[in-house]
Amino acid sequence: MQEYLAEFVGTLFFCFVIIAAPNTNMKPLTVGAALAVAIMIVGKLSGGHFNPAVTIMMMMMKKMKQEHVIPYIVAQVLGGVAAIELTKVL
């Protein structure tokens, strides 16, 4: 369960930064830094996928069990939706 929560929180943070960062020349650096921070914080718990495509690739490469794929993807999608809702509130 920890790894699913980690994916949710990491995805929420990463997507929030993508949405909230100003659209300037610095945005790619900001997004890259956010991804690095998210991976450093929760990567040891979940692998730091934050993307269903990465999760599927990891399963296909036999680096994660198939039974974890759906919960990971659900956590990632919910994290993205939460990021959208958070930006609406702030």
Side-chain angles (χ1 to χ4, degrees):
M1 190 65 166
Q2 267 186 333
E3 61 267 23
Y4 309 138
L5 182 60
E7 281 295 306
F8 172 81
V9 170
T11 304
L12 187 154
F13 172 73
F14 183 49
C15 289
F16 178 79
V17 170
I18 291 170
I19 297 165
N23 201 10
T24 66
N25 291 339
M26 296 298 290
K27 184 162 187 166
L29 183 60
T30 303
V31 170
L35 180 58
V37 167
I39 290 171
M40 284 189 289
I41 292 172
V42 300
K44 288 184 181 180
L45 293 172
S46 69
H49 302 179
F50 314 132
N51 182 330
V54 174
T55 299
I56 291 168
M57 179 206 56
M58 295 299 279
M59 182 216 34
M60 292 180 75
M61 293 177 60
K62 309 274 191 243
K63 303 228 180 213
M64 73 180 297
K65 294 180 180 179
Q66 191 170 3
E67 66 254 17
H68 294 292
V69 172
I70 297 299
Y72 262 61
I73 291 173
V74 168
Q76 293 158 355
V77 170
L78 291 176
V81 170
I84 291 169
E85 295 302 317
L86 185 60
T87 57
K88 289 178 184 177
V89 173
L90 298 179

